[in-house]
């Protein structure tokens, strides 16, 4: 095993990414040096935020380089180690390259325990997804018991965890999703109090008012766009919006326009704040511990969509933008 | 003196208010009761936020009733007192009615000292205007020495104070205003480092980038609209926007559209927060003290536009939306 396949960014997409924006190459695996480990990828995370890294617009994280490997959260097995903290057979989590096999610096890798949770969970509910839900909701949303939490993209990887944590914290929780099946899941599986199908609802503004009769105190926004416009008419005084994503707008080539938020924020002394889990690295360990506890206490459940095969990673990524995933999407190699 | 003239809201304006939306009536002055004072209005504050109270849309403050008197900040002289805290000849500040003479409950009135500052200052730099600048900038903006502060509506009553406080706190301060004369004032009188005239600047986005080469850390937004769109392209990671007003949008009858802010907030882990000085009542006394100290130390200066005569109050208010004021607009009776 001294060659590996790699998935590279071939072109920067304009608008929606396509398969042709990726290419596969084969290259030599370099010699292992001190402080490094040789890793075999086991589970690869595909995430909407990677779309941002495919563009070269300034963002919270450096863009991918054209012609170079894509990077995301990956669970891998240690095949060989020249670092004291890792041994052959360990499983690790880290920001790694889309390669079947790779040499990585041991720093920045975190050991994960397959006895505490399935390995794929460390990319989802016990990984960036769960931390995004937990830290976004608590650090920015600052929810108080009895308040109303509204979640968009509620059946998604982050949204479904946000709702459950909301319930654990004693909130009324309403979710917005795009199919009746997803809305059913919100209530039957993820303990949401109410669900709204935005694809079959004519007047979202009224539907939100009906589902949230006391108004919206915390809005966990995964989507932006028209749904978030409808929310504005329903926010309470001192409401907090966590802007966690804007998947509805990631593939726009022109800057999307929405109803101006300023007059609403002024009228309601309300806040909107962008949230990126990477900014809260110091709170990750405590967050993972809390999430693991809740998971083992049976208070949290999660859905994942597992695709198979290295070749299918790009398609799995593209399917995120068609809403073809339920919960966290990972690819098993 | 047992009758007084009153200015009432005649109709709820649609779009821009006009003189015909006000009317003048004369009515009896009621008998003074225990705990009340008889007041003669001396200075009447006209403020953009009053436009909001002329509509019956839900807002942070109750709407005016049609057929009833308009209310705003007023400095008045005590003519007669049936309250132990006030004596004939005192000057007081309070939320009072647009009447030449009125009876008011003594609670909610604050004595003001004409020896410490001109009476009109208590409606401006030592009143809601100064407190809005000070508390909005410090409580929401949380500025750190060396950061860049951008202020829209910078030559206005609030904006000109925001800029000066920014300089006192060690920030680089850039202001946006609508005439060359105002931009000159920003630099010559209010200690701004740079000024931009939005009416003569073709590309605001580039002009802001040039005036703020290190990006914008704190944006004190008094206007909303297109100017605030241009600012979005220049915000730094973790920037804070204080949404203090949206005067460019108050008279719109349709909901204005702007570039969606969500993707910018997510990319830059940035916040926007609506601010209303009334929410921070517990911090007003300390704020007035700080502002009075700075004023007496010569660190703060202010501009006011003083109109004269009770009959001219409505026109003075309308002129705010034409930018005819420099600094705080008050009407002297």
């Amino acid at each position: 095993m001294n060659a590996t396949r790699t998935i590279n960014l071939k072109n920067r997409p304009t608008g929606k990414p396509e398969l042709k924006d990726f290419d596969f190459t084969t290259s030599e695996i370099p010699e292992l040096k001190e402080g490094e480990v040789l890793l075999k990828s086991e589970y690869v995370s595909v995430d909407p935020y990677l779309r941002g890294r495919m563009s070269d617009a300034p963002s919270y994280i450096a863009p991918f380089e054209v012609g170079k490997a894509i990077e995301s959260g990956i669970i891998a097995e240690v095949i060989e180690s020249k670092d004291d903290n890792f041994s052959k057979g360990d499983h690790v989590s880290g920001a790694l390259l889309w390669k079947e096999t790779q040499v990585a610096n041991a720093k920045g890798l975190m050991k994960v325990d397959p006895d505490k949770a399935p390995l794929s969970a460390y990319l989802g509910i016990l990984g960036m997804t769960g931390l995004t839900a937990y830290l976004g909701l608590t650090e920015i949303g600052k929810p108080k018991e009895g308040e109303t939490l509204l979640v968009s993209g509620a059946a998604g990887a982050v949204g479904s965890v946000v709702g459950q944590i909301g319930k654990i914290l004693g909130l009324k929780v309403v979710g917005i999703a795009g199919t009746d099946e997803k809305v059913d899941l919100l209530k039957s599986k993820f303990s949401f109090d109410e669900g709204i199908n935005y694809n079959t609802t004519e007047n979202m503004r009224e539907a939100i008012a009906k589902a949230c009769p006391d108004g919206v105190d915390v809005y966990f926004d995964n989507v932006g766009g028209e749904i978030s416009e409808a929310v504005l008419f329903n926010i309470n005084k001192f409401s907090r919006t966590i802007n966690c994503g804007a998947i509805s707008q990631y593939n726009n080539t022109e800057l999307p326009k929405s109803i101006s938020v300023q007059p609403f924020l002024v009228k309601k002394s309300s806040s909107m704040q962008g949230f990126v889990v990477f900014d809260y690295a110091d709170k990750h360990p405590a967050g993972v511990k809390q999430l693991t506890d809740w998971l083992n206490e049976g208070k949290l459940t999660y859905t994942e969509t597992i695709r198979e095969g290295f070749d299918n990673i790009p398609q799995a990524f593209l399917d995120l933008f068609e809403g073809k995933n339920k919960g966290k999407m990972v690819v098993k190699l």
Side-chain angles (χ1 to χ4, degrees), chain A:
Chain A
M1 191 201 297
N2 42 21
T4 181
R5 288 205 300 154
T6 300
I7 304 174
N8 307 293
L9 177 65
K10 192 173 178 193
N11 325 287
R12 298 203 185 282
T14 50
K16 203 174 270 200
E18 296 175 57
L19 282 181
K20 69 172 177 52
D21 298 320
F22 301 90
D23 69 356
F24 288 72
T25 55
T26 300
S27 58
E28 290 288 301
I29 298 168
E31 200 69 24
L32 205 59
K33 288 191 284 242
E34 210 52 48
E36 290 183 337
V37 290
L38 180 66
L39 299 173
K40 189 178 162 219
S41 300
E42 300 178 278
Y43 290 91
V44 173
S45 178
V46 291
D47 308 271
Y49 81 86
L50 299 173
R51 172 66 185 88
R53 298 194 67 185
M54 298 175 76
S55 301
D56 54 4
S59 183
Y60 54 81
I61 185 165
F64 296 128
E65 285 180 54
V66 172
K68 296 258 174 91
I70 308 273
E71 180 189 80
S72 73
I74 289 179
I75 303 294
E77 186 181 346
V78 177
I79 303 299
E80 197 185 331
S81 174
K82 289 200 171 177
D83 184 272
D84 292 345
N85 296 308
F86 297 94
S87 313
K88 187 173 184 318
D90 281 351
H91 299 275
V92 298
S93 157
L96 294 164
L97 300 175
W98 285 7
K99 289 170 176 280
E100 290 180 306
T101 308
Q102 65 196 290
V103 166
N105 193 308
K107 275 179 209 156
L109 297 177
M110 190 174 76
K111 222 178 282 188
V112 296
D113 184 348
D115 295 331
K116 280 206 178 157
L119 283 175
S120 59
Y122 291 100
L123 291 179
I125 194 150
L126 302 181
M128 290 305 133
T129 306
L131 287 170
T132 296
Y134 176 64
L135 295 174
L137 181 60
T138 54
E139 295 289 324
I140 312 287
K142 296 186 172 55
K144 289 184 279 288
E145 203 180 324
E147 286 189 328
T148 298
L149 165 67
L150 179 65
V151 186
S152 64
V158 171
S160 60
V161 183
V162 170
Q164 294 177 81
I165 298 177
K167 290 310 298 176
I168 293 172
L169 299 177
L171 307 171
K172 160 152 185 164
V173 180
V174 177
I176 301 171
T179 67
D180 283 344
E181 191 194 351
K182 287 181 178 179
V183 168
D184 286 344
L185 264 185
L186 294 183
K187 292 193 273 187
S188 61
K189 179 158 182 176
F190 298 122
S191 9
F192 283 65
D193 296 298
E194 299 279 350
I196 302 171
N197 179 346
Y198 67 81
N199 276 317
T200 57
T201 299
E202 214 160 285
N203 187 326
M204 278 301 289
R205 179 176 164 180
E206 282 174 15
I208 295 166
K210 202 179 149 199
C212 307
D214 298 326
V216 175
D217 299 298
V218 181
Y219 173 41
F220 199 106
D221 185 3
N222 289 301
V223 303
E226 283 179 18
I227 291 173
S228 299
E229 289 187 339
V231 176
L232 283 174
F233 293 91
N234 289 285
I235 56 173
N236 284 337
K237 176 131 183 157
F238 301 123
S239 72
R240 292 81 68 197
T241 290
I242 304 113
N243 295 108
C244 188
I247 196 172
S248 73
Q249 302 172 337
Y250 283 168
N251 292 329
N252 290 42
T253 45
E254 289 187 15
L255 284 166
K257 295 241 169 188
S258 309
I259 292 172
S260 299
V261 300
Q262 287 87 346
F264 292 89
L265 298 183
V266 174
K267 274 183 195 163
K268 296 289 186 175
S269 299
S270 285
S271 69
M272 296 176 62
Q273 183 159 356
F275 172 80
V276 174
V277 69
F278 310 113
D279 295 336
Y280 290 78
D282 59 321
K283 299 189 192 270
H284 289 189
V288 172
K289 190 183 169 315
Q290 176 65 78
L291 292 163
T292 307
D293 287 350
W294 281 335
L295 189 66
N296 289 325
E297 289 163 18
K299 289 183 178 167
L300 279 184
T301 184
Y302 62 99
T303 304
E304 55 187 12
T305 299
I306 300 192
R307 297 286 176 81
E308 303 222 351
F310 188 75
D311 295 299
N312 295 320
I313 296 173
Q315 187 61 54
F317 170 68
L318 301 182
D319 286 350
L320 290 173
F321 298 96
E322 310 296 333
K324 291 190 180 167
N325 56 310
K326 285 198 201 86
K328 177 66 191 164
M329 177 104 91
V330 301
V331 182
K332 183 179 181 182
L333 305 197

